Amino acid sequence: MIDRSPTISRDPAQLRLAPNLQDWAHEREVFRWDALREELLAAAPGSINIARLAVDRHAAGPRAQRTALRCLDRDGGRRDVSFAQLAARSNQFANLLASLPVTTGARVFVLTGRRVELYEAVLGTLKANCIACVLFTAFGPEPLKTRLKIGAADVLVTTAALYQRKIAPIEADLPSLRHVLLLDDDGAVRPAGHLSSYERLMATSPEAFVPPQTTAETPALLHFTSGTTGTPKGAVHVHEAALMHFMTGRYALDLHDEDVFWCTADPGWVTAMSYGVIAPLLLGVTSIVDGGDFEAQRWYRILEEQKVSVWYTAPTALRLLMKAGPELAARFRRQDLRLIASVGEPLNAEAIWWGMDVLGQPIHDNWWQTETGGIMIGNTPGQVIKPGSMGRPLPGIDALVIERLPGGGVRPIESAEASGELALRKGWPSMFRAYLNQPDRYFGCFAGELYLTGDLVRRDVDGYYWFLGRSDDVIKTSGHLVGPFEIERVLMEHPAVIEAAVIGVPDALAGEVIKAFVLVRAGIESDASMREQLMAHARRRLGPALAPRSIAFVGALPHTRSGKIMRRLLRARELGLPEGDTSALETVA
């Protein structure tokens, strides 16, 4: 095993490619959004449009025949789609929308899973000056209805099978939905009225398209929050977000021209849109699109056979790979892999060191939200990594630690080392512009020029940020305000623990006491002896005031599909309270 030092430092001279962001301090000092805008628009002058920048400018240049998408199906089949082909197909979809017809600003929802038609539909929607929203295929009818109603969907692209199972039962409650375009229509659903065959309409749709004018502030994308704190909110993003995706693809994910990139996020999650669709296309690299479900051996085989060089995944997936054991990883080669990044739930230090031990690469954690639209804080290849930290703010991002004042205002904490709520100064291009139909909720996220994230963090003396928990997850015990992740991180340092979550349970004396829910590795006995070991470990590392008072062993923890632990669900179940919105739930404990 590698020595567990507080930092991981990799000599840039030993890296396969020199990092795009080498001098973090200098680049933050000289970086200007206007200069990036000029660079990006130089090859595509005119109005700013995400799709034109992502595919059309490459299709008109030397990357025209480069593979944009390498689509892998469940059975091992492969289909390569070039930038030129993707530009033509997205033009056809834009023309298809015009023929329906739909008006500027129409909301086009996509419910298809990972397949090339998702890319065609999303990019064509953006070219046509409409708003794109992708949904999880794992959603049942009710959560789909909630989102389609909030978004006032005009058009839905889905498969015939998903339509029959999930949309037909709720269609009477969706008065705005005027067109449903069906993939894989084998005649089981007879196209009639508002139902149409996607393939038939595309077959007669022209490949030439003259896009209407869009501006930096034209609405482009609708993303729903993961629902960890209640009813999903529809966050609206604009075409100027392309600047953020371009910059973070270059600096946070370190994409170079020759890379093969794989973002494993589900298409219904904002990560898949920002970094599975837009960023790699903007940078002209080849993306892997895997139509299969997670399976450890399949994933290792994809990394090997597709020569993946940059891999962006989630903590849940990484912990499942850890659970599968190092022996499986050793059966596959990863000679091309040079960068692994993770987002969703913060990674504990042990997971990052596991990357070094088993995969030969540290895992670069980063932080952002649906509302930010892109990566704000990250561990980039040119920096020292502090395992367990979120990293440092990227160029163009001004992060602060603030405290909320009794009168409703906020005060930045100026000291180098600080703990409090993370805030971001307005000005980055992918900042959300609204919560759909909820203006009061939107404006409540801001204090003057600051966006208040609701996440509690610690900033250390070197400017690295450490996640402590959501403000609504904070536990108050014996006068101490405790963020759950600092306790969970300590529990996950124990070699027997795969994952942990903690909540506060009401207590007459302490106000709240801490209860932990722990998932242990395969082969470890979840018995009284192990409980005592973990309690002793926690008391030794945290002290008796912050150590869990009780530990429950579980077979799984409840996560959103974006990988976040739903602590409020654990709390509701523990206390017998209403569970609230569980539409984003992936794993039920």
Side-chain angles (χ1 to χ4, degrees):
M1 298 286 283
I2 296 173
D3 177 47
R4 301 301 197 244
S5 62
T7 63
I8 299 173
S9 182
R10 305 176 77 197
D11 184 352
Q14 296 178 347
L15 298 176
R16 195 171 307 152
L17 292 172
N20 287 320
L21 179 59
Q22 297 189 45
D23 190 332
W24 175 82
H26 173 74
E27 187 59 28
R28 280 185 55 81
E29 182 179 339
V30 302
F31 180 85
R32 298 292 181 271
W33 288 113
D34 285 345
L36 189 74
R37 181 180 290 104
E38 290 177 9
E39 177 188 350
L40 188 56
L41 294 178
S47 63
I48 186 168
N49 183 285
I50 292 173
R52 290 186 61 238
L53 294 170
V55 292
D56 292 358
R57 70 188 180 98
H58 300 310
R63 293 189 182 97
Q65 300 309 314
R66 173 179 290 181
T67 297
L69 308 175
R70 177 159 297 155
C71 302
L72 312 176
D73 65 31
R74 295 174 183 270
D75 302 320
R78 169 177 146 180
R79 175 187 175 189
D80 285 359
V81 180
S82 70
F83 280 96
Q85 290 170 323
L86 188 56
R89 291 287 289 180
S90 55
N91 279 350
Q92 286 181 275
F93 188 81
N95 280 316
L96 185 162
L97 290 177
S99 71
L100 288 178
V102 297
T103 59
T104 294
R107 283 105 185 238
V108 180
F109 282 62
V110 182
L111 179 69
T112 65
R114 300 180 187 90
R115 52 190 295 169
V116 69
E117 291 88 354
L118 179 145
Y119 290 76
E120 297 170 359
V122 166
L123 295 165
T125 296
L126 298 178
K127 287 183 179 181
N129 196 1
C130 295
I131 299 171
C133 180
V134 180
L135 298 170
F136 286 110
T137 56
F139 278 149
E142 285 304 312
L144 289 172
K145 182 174 72 173
T146 297
R147 288 156 177 80
L148 290 164
K149 287 187 74 171
I150 291 173
D154 295 284
V155 179
L156 174 65
V157 178
T158 190
T159 68
L162 287 170
Y163 172 79
Q164 288 181 302
R165 285 171 27 226
K166 301 189 178 188
I167 302 301
I170 61 174
E171 207 165 3
D173 296 321
L174 302 172
S176 69
L177 186 59
R178 297 185 294 124
H179 304 283
V180 178
L181 310 180
L182 298 175
L183 295 164
D184 308 327
D185 174 33
D186 58 3
V189 179
R190 296 291 178 186
H194 67 294
L195 298 177
S196 303
S197 165
Y198 180 96
E199 287 90 352
R200 291 175 193 167
L201 290 178
M202 286 287 281
T204 59
S205 190
E207 292 186 359
F209 178 73
V210 179
Q213 291 290 306
T214 52
T215 70
E217 290 299 314
T218 298
L221 303 166
L222 177 62
H223 295 301
F224 285 93
T225 60
S226 55
T228 55
T229 57
T231 304
K233 305 180 289 289
V236 178
H237 294 268
V238 298
H239 279 279
E240 191 182 35
L243 302 182
M244 191 73 197
H245 304 139
F246 185 73
M247 183 273 281
T248 51
R250 172 186 284 175
Y251 286 157
L253 300 179
D254 198 44
L255 290 175
H256 289 64
D257 189 62
E258 59 269 47
D259 276 320
V260 175
F261 175 67
W262 185 22
C263 174
T264 67
D266 188 287
W269 184 24
V270 63
T271 295
M273 180 57 61
S274 295
Y275 298 105
V277 179
I278 300 172
L281 291 176
L282 285 169
L283 286 151
V285 305
T286 297
S287 284
I288 301 299
V289 181
D290 179 26
D293 297 324
F294 173 85
E295 195 274 319
Q297 183 167 305
R298 175 187 177 89
W299 276 31
Y300 282 131
R301 183 177 293 113
I302 289 172
L303 290 171
E304 177 182 20
E305 294 179 354
Q306 303 306 324
K307 302 183 184 302
V308 174
S309 54
V310 179
W311 180 29
Y312 196 26
T313 191
T316 303
L318 290 167
R319 290 178 183 127
L320 288 172
L321 292 175
M322 292 170 69
K323 193 173 183 180
E327 297 81 11
L328 179 62
R331 289 167 48 192
F332 297 88
R333 299 181 64 198
R334 293 169 297 277
Q335 67 273 20
D336 298 283
L337 187 62
R338 63 176 184 82
L339 177 68
I340 308 170
S342 170
V343 71
E345 186 80 1
L347 273 182
N348 57 304
E350 184 59 32
I352 294 169
W353 281 112
W354 171 85
M356 289 291 289
D357 291 337
V358 176
L359 304 180
Q361 301 278 341
I363 299 167
H364 297 255
D365 202 6
N366 54 65
W367 176 92
W368 57 294
Q369 297 178 326
T370 300
E371 289 83 352
T372 71
I375 300 166
M376 301 282 107
I377 297 172
N379 292 278
T380 61
Q383 297 184 69
V384 170
I385 296 174
K386 293 191 176 185
S389 82
M390 296 153 50
R392 295 189 287 185
L394 293 176
I397 304 303
D398 191 5
L400 304 88
V401 177
I402 59 103
E403 65 173 340
R404 300 206 184 209
L405 302 176
V410 302
R411 181 183 71 85
I413 302 174
E414 302 293 349
S415 57
E417 295 183 86
S419 295
E421 183 175 348
L422 176 64
L424 304 169
R425 199 175 303 281
K426 289 181 183 179
W428 73 94
S430 63
M431 186 186 81
F432 75 128
R433 300 304 201 264
Y435 283 137
L436 202 60
N437 307 321
Q438 298 186 74
D440 291 343
R441 203 168 185 178
Y442 175 75
F443 290 115
C445 295
F446 297 89
E449 291 300 305
L450 298 181
Y451 165 62
L452 309 178
T453 69
D455 281 356
L456 300 181
V457 297
R458 174 174 63 85
R459 182 179 61 215
D460 69 20
V461 69
D462 298 316
Y464 284 74
Y465 285 76
W466 304 73
F467 182 80
L468 300 178
R470 288 289 298 170
S471 58
D472 42 16
D473 284 334
V474 167
I475 302 164
K476 188 170 185 179
T477 179
S478 301
H480 300 281
L481 287 175
V482 184
F485 191 68
E486 58 185 320
I487 300 168
E488 294 162 3
R489 183 163 48 217
V490 167
L491 288 170
M492 287 188 287
E493 288 175 0
H494 193 283
V497 176
I498 287 284
E499 195 169 27
V502 303
I503 63 169
V505 177
D507 180 81
L509 183 62
E512 287 183 300
V513 294
I514 296 165
K515 179 170 183 176
F517 299 83
V518 172
L519 173 65
V520 297
R521 296 181 186 276
I524 301 293
E525 289 293 329
S526 303
D527 55 15
S529 174
M530 175 53 60
R531 184 177 285 109
E532 284 303 313
Q533 286 186 48
L534 292 178
M535 296 282 271
H537 168 74
R539 284 193 292 266
R540 185 169 60 253
R541 294 279 284 107
L542 294 165
L546 300 188
R549 189 74 58 87
S550 62
I551 293 176
F553 293 108
V554 296
L557 290 169
H559 292 88
T560 67
R561 291 180 177 83
S562 61
K564 295 181 177 67
I565 296 173
M566 296 184 79
R567 296 175 185 85
R568 69 168 179 85
L569 192 54
L570 289 171
R571 189 181 302 112
R573 292 171 177 174
E574 179 72 17
L575 303 179
L577 301 173
E579 293 187 359
D581 174 44
T582 59
S583 60
L585 181 65
E586 181 173 61
T587 302
V588 180

